[in-house]
Amino acid sequence: TDMIHDLHLVPLLNSLDQLTRHLEALPGHAFGVQLDTGMNRLGMEASEWEAVRDLVVGLNPSLVMSHLACADEPDHPMNRQQLAQFCAMTDGLGLKRSLAATGGILLGPEYHFDMTRPGIGLYGGAPYAQAEAVVHLSLPVIQIRDVAEGETVGYGNSWSASAPARIATVAAGYADGLLRALSNNASLWHEGQACPIVGRVSMDMIGVDVTALPQPPETLDILCPYQSVDELADKAGTIGYEILTSLGARYARRYVNQ
């Protein structure tokens, strides 16, 4: 409560208890309300909202919002069901409304209301397939060695060379959010040339086959024009959200305005 007051934040109240506490502790302070339209995660259910709706409307909340459970599947019947429920709970109240994050925005204007909440779409991730990727991730090569036919790379001998190879070690691993599921299952890139990951992704290092490159690279790219965050996520059996949110604090970040 102190932080909400001191930093002039607008809390989204998700329950009757939160609403009561906010009105008692910070009378007159701005707030919004989250409604549950079927996701059963956060928000007031229809019966709870009906009990306090008139009181809340009289206090002029900054926003009333809900969240779609299946927006990344445009034809899923849950989308229409939640839209109908949201309209039933909020039509005619004269309040600012929000229902759509990135997936909901792509469902069409009837899901947009007064405010949309693009998240993954700002980073060029699915389901916004037309978005341009904005995250580029290069990993430094710290060593290159020659490996003879039959030799192995990494923990557990999970990869062995079928022919003489040049193996680069890059300084990144699962401690940096590069999932172990990428082991022997994805590539890094150098100027349009795919360089397969060989062996297990370890905590701080990854082995990469750079035999096809004419010159030893100083860096290799894992997110780049040749490999989107969603393509990398597919290789790891996950989604782009997990890849982006896993990228840790050890990377040097550089922001470029274009």
Side-chain angles (χ1 to χ4, degrees):
T1 298
D2 290 343
M3 185 178 294
I4 289 170
H5 175 270
D6 295 345
L7 298 179
H8 306 288
L9 304 178
V10 179
L12 275 173
L13 308 177
N14 287 282
S15 68
L16 299 182
D17 287 343
Q18 287 186 8
L19 178 65
T20 300
R21 185 163 69 246
H22 179 78
L23 297 182
E24 290 177 349
L26 296 173
H29 188 101
F31 68 94
V33 173
Q34 181 165 354
L35 304 178
D36 176 31
T37 53
M39 193 170 187
N40 284 308
R41 190 174 67 175
L42 291 174
M44 296 184 195
E45 296 184 3
S47 58
E48 296 174 311
W49 175 237
E50 185 176 359
V52 298
R53 181 185 57 212
D54 293 343
L55 168 66
V56 170
V57 171
L59 296 172
N60 193 29
S62 301
L63 186 73
V64 177
M65 60 85 68
S66 190
H67 192 62
L68 296 167
C70 302
D72 56 345
E73 301 177 55
D75 296 326
H76 199 292
M78 186 66 168
N79 295 320
R80 302 298 306 184
Q81 180 180 323
Q82 285 192 263
L83 175 62
Q85 179 69 7
F86 187 62
C87 289
M89 296 173 75
T90 61
D91 277 355
L93 300 181
L95 301 176
K96 290 185 177 180
R97 296 183 285 178
S98 177
L99 180 61
T102 297
I105 293 170
L106 300 175
L107 293 177
E110 61 184 325
Y111 288 83
H112 294 178
F113 294 95
D114 300 291
M115 177 190 294
T116 59
R117 311 185 305 270
I120 191 71
L122 296 177
Y123 294 86
Y128 192 2
Q130 290 75 38
E132 296 182 7
V134 300
V135 179
H136 183 112
L137 180 56
S138 296
L139 307 178
V141 174
I142 57 174
Q143 191 175 97
I144 296 178
R145 65 176 59 225
D146 293 322
V147 172
E149 181 180 349
E151 287 193 296
T152 60
V153 173
Y155 286 119
N157 292 358
S158 66
W159 182 88
S160 60
S162 59
R166 303 199 76 197
I167 305 301
T169 299
V170 298
Y174 58 76
D176 304 287
L178 303 178
L179 307 180
R180 293 181 77 244
L182 297 170
S183 303
N184 296 306
N185 198 34
S187 295
L188 277 67
W189 291 79
H190 182 72
E191 297 178 354
Q193 175 66 55
C195 301
I197 292 174
V198 295
R200 291 183 188 169
V201 173
S202 57
M203 183 184 297
D204 305 296
M205 289 175 278
I206 301 173
V208 184
D209 187 347
V210 295
T211 308
L213 299 183
Q215 299 293 331
E218 293 186 1
T219 61
L220 292 168
D221 299 333
I222 194 164
L223 294 177
C224 61
Y226 307 102
Q227 181 162 261
S228 72
V229 64
D230 293 300
E231 290 168 334
L232 184 64
D234 286 343
K235 298 292 180 60
T238 185
I239 57 177
Y241 292 84
E242 184 175 13
I243 297 294
L244 289 175
T245 58
S246 296
L247 300 180
R250 301 199 297 182
Y251 295 109
R253 285 168 164 78
R254 185 165 59 95
Y255 299 91
V256 179
N257 291 321
Q258 293 185 342

